[in-house]
Amino acid sequence: MKKTILILGGAGYIGSHSAYLLYKRGYEVLIIDKLIHGQNFDHKWATVIKADFADEKVLNQIFDKYKIDAVMHFAAFIEVGISVKKPANFYENNVIKTINFLDFMLSRGVKKFIFSSSCAIYGNPIKVPMNEKHPFDPISPYGKNKLVIEFVLQDYAKAYDLKYVSLRYFNAAGADPENNLGEQHNPETHIIPLMLRAIKNNKTFKIFGTDYNTPDGTCVRDYIHVLDLALAHILGLEYLNSGGKSDYFNLGTGKGYSVKEMINMAQNVVGKKMNIQVCERRLGDVDTLIADNKKIKAILGWIPKYSDLNNILNTAFLWENINYEGVGIHLDK
Ligand code: UFG
């Protein structure tokens, strides 16, 4: 019999790619999502329930109806800058609701949990690339939210036999346009869609700070293709299914690119120059984030296949064209 995986936030960017991969691997996919970004998410391969993952009435109905094997949790607020300005919303959604959900899930005997953590838990790097032993010093409420939940998971694993895998994402990027999946944030704050839209629509791309402690003064990030990221969730789940112990892993490629390097690459992919404006630093940004990914490779057998930067930008560009050039989103045609 197919195993049913419940995906919180499964219509979002990373959740949807992971959900599709689960479906392709033969799992039954059940999604709870508020669809707050206005996504037209009606893929035939998943059952989508439009709800808040904190709605206990809906959760009761779902857990009564389905035999859930494991939960993947993607339903978080993610904009680092906004978390600095509105920490209460972030603690409410990313911490309180998550703990309540864990309690609910455990009360229904579901014990496997894959958590979307973040490299933001480390704060400014002391040593690059960063491995899992890097000290924690998150500088944004978002990073602190993720760290609190990691501590909760550790304690729940000891006390309540929760089996979890926590994946500390670096920068998710790219898309799977062939399967009508890609980045659809509203408002969009991420560098790649904003750069591509600036080039296409002759708008100005703002560089947030050129005075960072990096070779060219702009922030360096480790961009990982969303399909490689999604695969790690399935490997994490299968690792728990085969008796693996609860654990946490950095999830990045091990290579970093500066904002200026990204601009050059994006211009090459689109074949057009971009208007650029240098602005102030954005709240909550750190100089450099690059993963040491030895642990996830060794324990989960994860190997990135899609994360070449050209492929990331090309797939993101294809998705932008489908999504924003009048073609609209026609799912499962
Ligand atoms: N940037 C710009 N201009 C823009 C947008 C971004 O210069 O218009 C810069 C940012 O300052 C940053 C880099 O591009 O240096 C990447 O920014 P993104 O917003 O694309 O990604 P972040 O690194 O801020 O955020 C991502 C995830 C978060 C996660 C974080 C870890 O979206 O969920 O990585 O720090 F927490």
Side-chain angles (χ1 to χ4, degrees), residues 79-107:
E79 301 83 3
V80 174
I82 300 175
S83 82
V84 178
K85 290 182 188 147
K86 295 189 169 173
N89 297 357
F90 274 66
Y91 277 96
E92 159 76 15
N93 189 74
N94 295 355
V95 176
I96 298 170
K97 285 184 182 178
T98 298
I99 295 174
N100 288 342
F101 180 86
L102 282 167
D103 292 341
F104 178 87
M105 176 187 119
L106 289 167
S107 77

Side-chain angles (χ1 to χ4, degrees), residues 172-184:
D176 183 8
E178 282 173 26
N179 291 303
N180 276 311
L181 296 171
E183 199 161 1
Q184 257 184 305

Side-chain angles (χ1 to χ4, degrees), residues 49-308:
I49 298 140
K50 188 176 178 202
D52 189 329
F53 75 94
D55 185 335
E56 222 174 287
K57 196 169 150 218
V58 173
L59 292 181
N60 271 314
Q61 286 165 357
I62 293 171
F63 280 72
D64 284 347
K65 185 165 173 192
Y66 299 94
K67 188 179 171 331
I68 291 162
D69 179 62
V71 176
M72 293 190 182
H73 180 21
F74 300 91
F77 292 166
I78 58 162
E79 301 83 3
V80 174
I82 300 175
S83 82
V84 178
K85 290 182 188 147
K86 295 189 169 173
N89 297 357
F90 274 66
Y91 277 96
E92 159 76 15
N93 189 74
N94 295 355
V95 176
I96 298 170
K97 285 184 182 178
T98 298
I99 295 174
N100 288 342
F101 180 86
L102 282 167
D103 292 341
F104 178 87
M105 176 187 119
L106 289 167
S107 77
R108 291 305 202 98
V110 176
K111 297 207 165 181
K112 279 178 275 175
F113 192 70
I114 310 291
F115 179 61
S116 303
S117 186
S118 169
C119 59
I121 64 175
Y122 298 121
N124 263 307
I126 292 169
K127 190 169 169 275
V128 176
M130 303 158 97
N131 67 20
E132 289 80 358
K133 294 193 177 112
H134 190 285
F136 300 131
D137 190 12
I139 63 169
S140 66
Y142 169 81
K144 290 175 190 164
N145 293 170
K146 295 290 180 185
L147 186 55
V148 170
I149 296 300
E150 287 224 12
F151 286 137
V152 170
L153 293 175
Q154 286 176 22
D155 291 339
Y156 276 34
K158 279 185 208 137
Y160 309 131
D161 198 30
L162 174 73
K163 309 280 182 212
Y164 77 89
V165 162
S166 181
L167 298 169
R168 297 174 180 169
Y169 305 165
F170 283 66
N171 283 57
D176 183 8
E178 282 173 26
N179 291 303
N180 276 311
L181 296 171
E183 199 161 1
Q184 257 184 305
H185 298 113
N186 187 14
E188 186 52 76
T189 59
H190 291 93
I191 182 170
I192 292 178
L194 290 178
M195 278 187 332
L196 295 174
R197 286 175 206 176
I199 303 177
K200 270 181 21 167
N201 305 325
N202 294 318
K203 295 257 167 65
T204 299
F205 175 77
K206 295 178 176 172
I207 302 182
F208 296 140
T210 51
D211 58 348
Y212 282 96
N213 185 20
T214 59
D216 68 17
T218 62
C219 291
V220 172
R221 294 287 180 273
D222 179 336
Y223 296 92
I224 167 174
H225 195 284
V226 63
L227 286 176
D228 286 330
L229 210 118
L231 177 65
H233 294 75
I234 283 102
L235 296 176
L237 175 67
E238 289 172 356
Y239 161 84
L240 291 180
N241 282 338
S242 60
K245 72 170 180 62
S246 293
D247 212 341
Y248 42 82
F249 302 94
N250 283 350
L251 185 47
T253 67
K255 278 196 205 134
Y257 295 94
S258 73
V259 172
K260 284 188 177 165
E261 286 173 321
M262 295 295 283
I263 290 172
N264 286 335
M265 295 283 282
Q267 291 178 151
N268 287 342
V269 164
V270 184
K272 211 171 134 194
K273 287 271 173 204
M274 155 180 4
N275 302 319
I276 291 159
Q277 184 190 352
V278 173
C279 300
E280 292 292 297
R281 289 181 175 207
R282 189 174 64 176
L283 291 173
D285 277 344
V286 304
D287 296 345
T288 304
L289 292 167
I290 301 174
D292 176 333
N293 55 21
K294 286 190 199 82
K295 185 176 174 189
I296 192 164
K297 284 182 167 166
I299 298 180
L300 298 189
W302 176 79
I303 300 169
K305 277 199 279 189
Y306 302 97
S307 292
D308 167 74

